[in-house]
Amino acid sequence: MKIKRTIYHLYLLVWSLLISGCTDFVETDLPPSQLTDGAVFTDRATATAALANIYAGLRSQTLITGGSRGIGNLLGHYADELDHYGDGIGTIYNFNIHSVLATEPELATLWNNSYNLIYACNSILEGLEDNTALTELDREQLQGEALFLRGFIHFYLSQLFGDIPYVTRTDYRENAQISKLGSSEIYELLVSDLERAIDLLPESYVTPDRVRVNRYAAVGFLARAALYSGDWDTALTLSDDVLDKTDLYLWEEDLDEVFLKGSKGTLWQLKPVSSEGNTLEAQTYIFESGPPINQGALTRSFMDGFAPGDQRVVHWTRGITNGTTVWYHPYKYKANAPTGSSVEHSVVLRLGELYLIRAEARMQLGDFDGAIADLNKIRGRAGLSDLESLDRMGVEAALVQERRYELFTEFGHRWFDLKRFQKAGEVLGPLKPNWQEYHLLFPIPQSELLANPNLNPQNDGY
């Protein structure tokens, strides 16, 4: 993998991101010539600047960016959420028709950008070892955030590619020859990073806009990781911990309040590039005329699947017509232009998901009534009637339905759910003519296999 080879190069990258407006929650007076090895850790401002640019990289460049190359859009097309309208070529089209090859440039970009951010996390962690220039409180905050982000990025890479390297150092010689780990080893390292982050991070947020993670964001994300790994007891305990924190998090009953920057149901969100701007999601999904050439529209199967009376179709989608045909786009984020002061941030973790995590954990542990109660919390806000007594099969069907319509186009939840519940072939087979079971994983970029033979073998089917 093409990981940056020196801390100096990392800081040049950090500075270039800073001057391009990637963040404004920290400022530094150091010119690029002084952002060299060690300088970034001599005071709180410059150490925080390095961390800020990891958040900025996620927002603007890779993985959970709300842009068209983020996994929200890519996996929305890969699954059954979005249809592609365009000229039948390019990355988005390839994802939509399941023709993603190991030579796809966007896969290599996603891989390398993600591992560069992991490298940045490791550089911060190494720079904080035995650091006496910062207070213990500041050092622990920065360490906790870097550990969280390292685990967060590895989690997504493992979900997309399967067996991957879990990189914890900046030694480029070692990293250039690093080998893949299996899912159990990745999960063990991921849990270690997140548990250490939980121990180090404070309960309160460093900034009032929740753009930097606190302890409960780490707890909530570890609950998701535990759920995906089948550790139901841990997922239940951790989701309880977050949902019980009512002095910090409040359930937003109004659907139009959920994605506003001041929502008390948000655990973690990403700040726009400028104080006047809003989300990349709005720019990616909103269109004003149809057909939406070179954009995606919500699929007919998705729109037809809303339960009668579900208010999410009214508040979270929007129809555009040319007089004869109607196309719908996601409308969770509504501000598609500067607003003088930002009104929406990109919400990464929120209470709605935590209720669904707890519902699933309860279902898996046989507490069907508890699972139904959590699902009814989601349904009630959507204007749907309460579910009553259901058996295991009924609870699972309701859970999959509520996850589909609560979390649509948010960072690939639908795709990951189709995989987890072993429904990908059943759902996508009739919709995607190129569908094959090996599409459950993406291919490792061919350029990476050539650069590091230890990443072989390639994922099956590619």
Side-chain angles (χ1 to χ4, degrees), residues 91-131:
T91 293
I92 308 302
Y93 179 73
N94 291 339
F95 273 79
N96 190 268
I97 66 168
H98 280 233
S99 291
V100 180
L101 304 178
T103 53
E104 170 62 54
E106 285 299 329
L107 282 187
T109 299
L110 187 153
W111 177 282
N112 283 303
N113 284 350
S114 298
Y115 274 109
N116 280 333
L117 293 182
I118 290 169
Y119 179 93
C121 293
N122 291 334
S123 181
I124 290 172
L125 291 167
E126 290 175 9
L128 293 171
E129 291 175 4
D130 303 319
N131 186 295

Side-chain angles (χ1 to χ4, degrees), residues 232-253:
W232 319 123
D233 288 306
T234 298
L236 176 59
T237 298
L238 295 176
S239 56
D240 270 337
D241 288 347
V242 176
L243 294 172
D244 288 345
K245 194 65 179 174
T246 54
D247 60 328
L248 193 58
Y249 305 111
L250 296 175
W251 181 250
E252 297 283 3
E253 289 290 353

Side-chain angles (χ1 to χ4, degrees), residues 202-440:
E203 292 189 8
S204 58
Y205 286 92
V206 181
T207 58
D209 48 10
R210 304 187 179 190
V211 298
R212 295 172 64 184
V213 295
N214 72 336
R215 179 177 302 166
Y216 288 101
V219 170
F221 188 70
L222 183 54
R224 185 202 294 180
L227 187 81
Y228 277 35
S229 296
D231 188 351
W232 319 123
D233 288 306
T234 298
L236 176 59
T237 298
L238 295 176
S239 56
D240 270 337
D241 288 347
V242 176
L243 294 172
D244 288 345
K245 194 65 179 174
T246 54
D247 60 328
L248 193 58
Y249 305 111
L250 296 175
W251 181 250
E252 297 283 3
E253 289 290 353
D254 187 340
L255 289 168
D256 289 328
E257 301 286 328
V258 175
F259 293 94
L260 296 181
K261 71 174 184 180
S263 172
K264 295 300 183 183
T266 295
L267 279 69
W268 174 35
Q269 58 190 354
L270 298 174
K271 199 168 189 173
V273 171
S274 70
S275 59
E276 297 83 19
N278 291 286
T279 68
L280 292 174
E281 283 88 347
Q283 297 176 37
T284 298
Y285 295 129
I286 292 175
F287 53 83
E288 300 295 341
S289 62
I293 301 300
N294 295 323
Q295 283 185 271
L298 291 165
T299 64
R300 176 51 55 189
S301 64
F302 175 81
M303 295 303 301
D304 289 346
F306 276 102
D310 191 331
Q311 292 303 298
R312 288 170 295 200
V313 74
V314 176
H315 294 269
W316 288 359
T317 76
R318 176 171 171 251
I320 299 294
T321 183
N322 65 355
T324 57
T325 305
V326 181
W327 299 267
Y328 293 87
H329 65 71
Y331 205 42
K332 291 177 173 179
Y333 299 98
K334 298 172 172 57
N336 190 24
T339 49
S341 178
S342 299
V343 296
E344 294 172 342
H345 291 177
S346 179
V347 179
V348 184
L349 292 170
R350 60 186 181 90
L351 283 191
E353 183 189 354
L354 269 295
Y355 275 106
L356 291 166
I357 288 172
R358 190 170 71 177
E360 186 173 339
R362 284 174 163 174
M363 177 193 74
Q364 297 288 0
L365 293 169
D367 180 8
F368 301 152
D369 289 341
I372 290 170
D374 284 334
L375 293 176
N376 285 339
K377 186 78 170 180
I378 302 292
R379 290 172 59 86
R381 182 169 67 187
L384 299 173
S385 61
D386 283 354
L387 299 169
E388 298 181 358
S389 180
L390 296 171
D391 60 12
R392 163 59 188 261
M393 185 177 297
V395 173
E396 181 174 310
L399 174 70
V400 171
Q401 171 77 358
E402 291 311 315
R403 287 187 63 90
R404 184 183 189 188
Y405 287 96
E406 181 69 17
L407 301 175
F408 69 92
T409 63
E410 293 183 47
F411 313 116
H413 280 291
R414 172 61 171 172
W415 167 244
F416 298 136
D417 287 348
L418 290 175
K419 288 175 59 176
R420 292 190 308 113
F421 287 98
Q422 299 182 359
K423 294 181 179 295
E426 171 189 336
V427 171
L428 300 182
L431 301 175
K432 311 282 186 178
N434 295 328
W435 164 258
Q436 299 290 335
E437 281 296 322
Y438 66 79
H439 292 164
L440 291 171

